[in-house]
Amino acid sequence: MSESSNHPSARPIPVLEVFGPTIQGEGMAIGRKTMFVRTAGCDYRCSWCDSKFTWDGSAKDEIRMLSADEIVTELFSIGGDTFDHVTISGGNPLLLPQIALLTQRLHEKNIRIAVETQGSRWQDWLVRIDEVTLSPKPPSSGMETDFEALDDIVSRLREASGRRDLCIKIVIFDEDDLTYARGVHKRYPDIPFILQTGNPQVSHESDDHVASLLNRYEWLIGRLSEFADLKDARALPQLHTLVWGNKRGV
């Protein structure tokens, strides 16, 4: 199938990283072997973002404009025949309509695709993603959730045909975040719900990095156990930060 060079799906994709195989460190597929494609650009500016280089300009010289076919070729050049799953990450991949062609090319190779987004933008290609994680940002991020946009995305995904795994994930740093998360779960009670510990040391490492993260995880488990309205929620750590800290490309 050929694509006109003027068609949105044929435009090159701004890519910062292609790496793997590694494991998915968070969300519904935690522990799942995957390759990663990290795109540049985000419409949010979260205070604790662990990927600020995707939007703050610090890695602008690392951005490569790649076609869908070039990305697929690079994935297989790096990963060979050792993977069947790709995570498209960011930034916010939902800024990019041209990812539609990448999803098509990956599915032609029988590759399962996962995407995480804050739920602020819609692209039609999202209905073709196998695993969608919606991760609206809590008060500690400094961002404000557009629930009208999030409602619309949830509605479109529910109405779309085909089998799709969908979950909501909220990063938790403090009690205000937990209160926010409970409200989100009440709004979408039928969607699998994940609470995940936040990482406050995104810009540096410390001697007690792992201990600090585990203490936060223990606190989150304890709080989760106290609420009847979170009886079906899951509490998860950021597994990759426990193993590799804040290292990129793993």
Side-chain angles (χ1 to χ4, degrees):
M1 173 178 159
S2 63
E3 294 278 349
S4 166
S5 60
N6 293 322
H7 193 279
S9 66
R11 296 173 189 160
I13 297 168
V15 175
L16 272 167
E17 295 180 307
V18 178
F19 63 92
T22 183
I23 55 104
Q24 175 56 260
E26 55 192 52
M28 75 172 87
I30 190 168
R32 174 64 153 98
K33 186 178 182 180
T34 189
M35 296 289 291
F36 274 88
V37 176
R38 187 183 298 282
T39 61
C42 192
D43 50 325
Y44 273 23
R45 300 291 184 266
C46 296
S47 62
W48 38 250
C49 178
D50 61 1
S51 304
K52 286 184 178 180
F53 62 91
T54 63
W55 51 262
D56 68 2
S58 62
K60 62 182 180 180
D61 293 338
E62 300 176 39
I63 298 173
R64 294 179 295 152
M65 302 302 294
L66 302 179
S67 70
D69 289 329
E70 287 172 329
I71 293 171
V72 172
T73 296
E74 186 163 334
L75 284 165
F76 280 94
S77 175
I78 296 170
D81 63 354
T82 65
F83 70 97
D84 63 0
H85 188 279
V86 168
T87 299
I88 302 174
S89 183
N92 184 8
L94 269 295
L95 296 177
L96 304 170
Q98 59 267 46
I99 286 179
L101 186 57
L102 177 60
T103 66
Q104 177 184 324
R105 294 292 188 256
L106 290 172
H107 280 150
E108 288 170 355
K109 300 286 189 181
N110 296 316
I111 301 297
R112 189 168 176 85
I113 309 168
V115 165
E116 178 173 324
T117 176
Q118 58 262 43
S120 59
R121 301 291 184 94
W122 173 261
Q123 299 289 348
D124 288 342
W125 56 258
L126 192 61
V127 301
R128 300 201 293 273
I129 299 301
D130 303 292
E131 299 168 6
V132 176
T133 297
L134 298 177
S135 184
K137 305 310 178 187
S140 62
S141 70
M143 298 292 102
E144 185 172 341
T145 301
D146 182 345
F147 279 104
E148 184 175 342
L150 187 58
D151 287 346
D152 180 64
I153 291 170
V154 169
S155 177
R156 288 174 184 242
L157 289 173
R158 283 170 167 162
E159 291 172 1
S161 60
R163 182 182 181 278
R164 182 178 307 98
D165 291 334
L166 172 64
C167 78
I168 290 176
K169 185 196 79 178
I170 310 290
V171 175
I172 304 295
F173 279 87
D174 53 34
E175 291 290 345
D176 287 343
D177 288 354
L178 190 58
T179 298
Y180 168 89
R182 294 171 69 191
V184 172
H185 189 38
K186 183 177 180 180
R187 194 179 189 100
Y188 313 109
D190 59 329
I191 299 178
F193 193 66
I194 295 169
L195 303 177
Q196 180 180 289
T197 50
N199 174 15
Q201 301 175 24
V202 294
S203 61
H204 66 279
E205 301 291 348
S206 66
D207 293 338
D208 65 346
H209 180 73
V210 171
S212 173
L213 292 174
L214 289 176
N215 286 337
R216 286 177 170 272
Y217 187 39
E218 182 179 14
W219 171 82
L220 182 60
I221 293 170
R223 297 298 285 136
L224 176 66
S225 68
E226 297 173 13
F227 295 108
D229 58 333
L230 295 177
K231 63 181 64 175
D232 57 346
R234 284 177 280 171
L236 295 178
Q238 277 191 320
L239 191 58
H240 57 291
T241 60
L242 290 174
V243 178
W244 294 294
N246 298 312
K247 185 179 178 181
R248 281 179 56 179
V250 291

